[in-house]
Amino acid sequence: MDKMVVTGNGPLRGTVAASGAKNAALPILFSTLLAEGEHVFKNVPKLKDIESTAELLQSLGCETRWDGDTFKVVVSPLQSYEASYDLVRKMRASFLCMGPMLAKYGEAVVSQPGGCAIGSRPIDLHLEGFKALGATVTQKEGYVHAATPKLKGATFLFETVTVGGTENVMMAATLADGVTILENAAKEPEIVDLADYLNKMGAKITGQGTSVIRIEGVSKLKPAEHTIMADRIEAGTLLIAGAITKGQVTVTKCVPAHLEALILKMREAGFKIETTKDSMTIFPADKWEAVDITTAPHPLFPTDLQAQFMALMTVAHGTSVISETVFENRFMHVTELTRLGSDITPKTRVAVVRGMPGKLTGAPVMATDLRASASLVLAGLVAEGETVVNRIYHLDRGYEKLEDKLSSLGAKIRRTE
């Protein structure tokens, strides 16, 4: 099993490009099930989760292939409406195949999802949304069965904000009879990207990026071409890598407007950051102050950057309080960060981080989930000696060649078995 070996090596310097967004690519790839024919995508990141998505699509009867840097999905009449446990357990986003299959074929059988163990992340709101559109939903032996003669538009209020639920129900509603209104919808940029592709396919969606999304159902969709948006979480991680090493790093091919909450907090801590429409640069800071963050749905501070920001706060001046409101089990990286010498007191949903500049030391650590992996690599960049991050298959689910990107900036990092 691969490991990442990181040795503290001083400031990072240079320019690095962000890859396409995993969290945008996955729902968009599943949306291809809504329209038979060839779908063409650019800027798709080469990640384990993309491989898992391709496997699932192939199991349903689709063809997927790389054509240079372009990813193509050819959808034929499906051979199966069932997404098996062996495939879905690898990645929670696999459940996003249910909405498109239900809308297009009137039937879907999908295993309960797996993925990172960062919280329960129930699918109840997905299922309630499908029921609101007229589907019959049952659960049996670990599988969800959904069926309908024809989905019908409806107004549905999400009890809590859910990104996956918004995506799944929005996709289903594109082929429903009549108009669907989704209230308290998630506002993430990845949902906007999905809606943009659905509209290219012929859907009639408005309001994406706001809390109320309106979908006017159409009778048929057609394949289209699309460029996946930049990965804001990877871009934020690379920005923090420059910051934590007291370096000067420019991240290109990104959208700083998607990271306003992170940039605001880093400036509050004392960092100088310059942005353009599609790049951002972090400048060296000799010291930075501890600041508090609370994770929340977009446009507030993203939960997917909480672990990385915590790594930055472990070497800040002062004490910060990090509150996690999105997932109940997203402090599993705390124990591993303390192995490197950080001073963190975790509670159920709150962690108190007492900054200790220059005090981290290398040690063997264990990655517990995708973003936790990144936080350990970031801490390793400034720890004295060698940090060995085990179980980095988590990292490969969401970061495209992170070690190569950090190495290009001067990091001493390598992959080993």
Side-chain angles (χ1 to χ4, degrees):
M1 192 173 293
D2 283 1
K3 305 172 184 178
M4 201 79 84
V5 181
V6 188
T7 305
N9 194 40
L12 300 186
R13 294 187 178 89
T15 300
V16 63
S19 298
K22 171 184 85 84
N23 289 340
L26 300 181
I28 287 173
L29 292 180
F30 285 121
S31 78
T32 61
L33 294 168
L34 290 162
E36 293 170 12
E38 184 177 81
H39 302 251
V40 180
F41 302 106
K42 297 185 182 300
N43 206 36
V44 175
K46 294 182 178 179
L47 302 167
K48 288 293 184 184
D49 276 8
I50 299 298
E51 291 179 14
S52 297
T53 300
E55 281 184 52
L56 199 158
L57 290 172
Q58 290 164 14
S59 76
L60 298 172
C62 303
E63 177 191 344
T64 67
R65 68 179 185 274
W66 286 98
D67 185 359
D69 289 335
T70 301
F71 190 77
K72 297 181 178 180
V73 180
V74 181
V75 181
S76 303
L78 295 193
Q79 298 171 359
S80 169
Y81 305 138
E82 179 174 320
S84 72
Y85 169 75
D86 284 343
L87 294 172
V88 178
R89 68 180 175 82
K90 298 178 183 178
M91 181 185 67
R92 179 176 178 78
S94 299
F95 198 73
L96 294 176
C97 69
M98 176 159 265
M101 281 199 292
L102 181 62
K104 175 71 173 171
Y105 300 100
E107 181 182 355
V109 180
V110 183
S111 170
Q112 294 268 12
C116 286
I118 56 176
S120 59
R121 300 197 287 180
I123 55 172
D124 301 19
L125 296 179
H126 300 233
L127 305 186
E128 291 302 318
F130 296 148
K131 290 177 185 177
L133 297 180
T136 300
V137 179
T138 58
Q139 298 184 59
K140 183 180 179 181
E141 297 177 347
Y143 281 79
V144 178
H145 300 242
T148 179
K150 180 66 175 177
L151 294 177
K152 299 186 182 302
T155 296
F156 179 69
L157 172 67
F158 288 103
E159 186 177 318
T160 57
V161 176
T162 162
V163 174
T166 300
E167 292 167 340
N168 225 347
V169 180
M170 181 171 71
M171 287 189 284
T174 59
L175 293 177
D177 284 339
V179 174
T180 298
I181 305 292
L182 301 182
E183 299 177 339
N184 197 29
K187 305 173 187 176
E188 271 68 7
E190 292 81 7
I191 286 171
V192 176
D193 208 32
L194 171 61
D196 288 349
Y197 184 61
L198 292 170
N199 284 340
K200 287 180 182 179
M201 293 168 68
K204 295 181 178 179
I205 303 173
T206 56
Q208 59 270 32
T210 76
S211 60
V212 180
I213 300 176
R214 183 182 189 274
I215 307 108
E216 183 180 339
V218 298
S219 60
K220 187 176 181 180
L221 297 173
K222 63 184 186 305
E225 297 186 9
H226 187 68
T227 299
I228 303 297
M229 63 171 273
D231 192 326
R232 61 194 174 101
I233 304 304
E234 184 200 32
T237 301
L238 293 169
L239 192 74
I240 294 172
I244 199 170
T245 61
K246 302 181 180 180
Q248 182 169 329
V249 171
T250 298
V251 184
T252 61
K253 295 185 179 179
C254 65
V255 184
H258 292 166
L259 287 166
E260 288 181 352
L262 172 66
I263 291 171
L264 178 68
K265 282 298 180 180
M266 292 184 72
R267 284 175 172 160
E268 184 182 333
F271 291 101
K272 178 186 176 185
I273 301 172
E274 291 183 357
T275 64
T276 68
K277 182 180 178 182
D278 59 3
S279 73
M280 50 189 180
T281 301
I282 185 88
F283 292 89
D286 288 334
K287 59 176 286 189
W288 52 93
E289 302 300 323
V291 294
D292 301 340
I293 62 164
T294 299
T295 65
H298 191 78
L300 301 178
F301 198 96
T303 181
D304 279 352
L305 283 171
Q306 176 257 106
Q308 300 91 309
F309 195 84
M310 184 182 290
L312 182 65
M313 290 297 97
T314 64
V315 286
H317 286 260
T319 298
S320 59
V321 177
I322 296 179
S323 303
E324 173 60 56
T325 73
V326 180
F327 295 124
E328 73 273 15
N329 196 27
R330 204 156 202 183
F331 283 152
M332 291 188 291
H333 48 280
V334 169
T335 302
E336 302 305 302
L337 285 173
T338 58
R339 286 178 55 80
L340 301 176
S342 59
D343 186 352
I344 308 172
T345 303
K347 303 294 184 183
T348 304
R349 293 276 189 135
V350 176
V352 178
V353 185
R354 300 168 190 86
M356 301 173 65
K359 299 294 186 182
L360 299 187
T361 54
V365 291
M366 188 76 71
T368 53
D369 62 72
L370 170 54
R371 305 308 172 184
S373 309
S375 75
L376 298 175
V377 170
L378 293 175
L381 292 173
V382 292
E384 182 181 344
E386 191 173 85
T387 299
V388 180
V389 184
N390 294 278
R391 293 173 65 182
I392 60 160
Y393 61 84
H394 288 294
L395 197 72
D396 294 335
R397 286 188 49 233
Y399 289 94
E400 184 177 28
K401 298 180 180 178
L402 182 63
E403 69 271 27
D404 292 350
K405 293 187 178 186
L406 292 175
S407 293
S408 74
L409 300 172
K412 196 172 180 181
I413 180 171
R414 60 186 172 87
R415 183 182 292 253
T416 185
E417 292 185 356

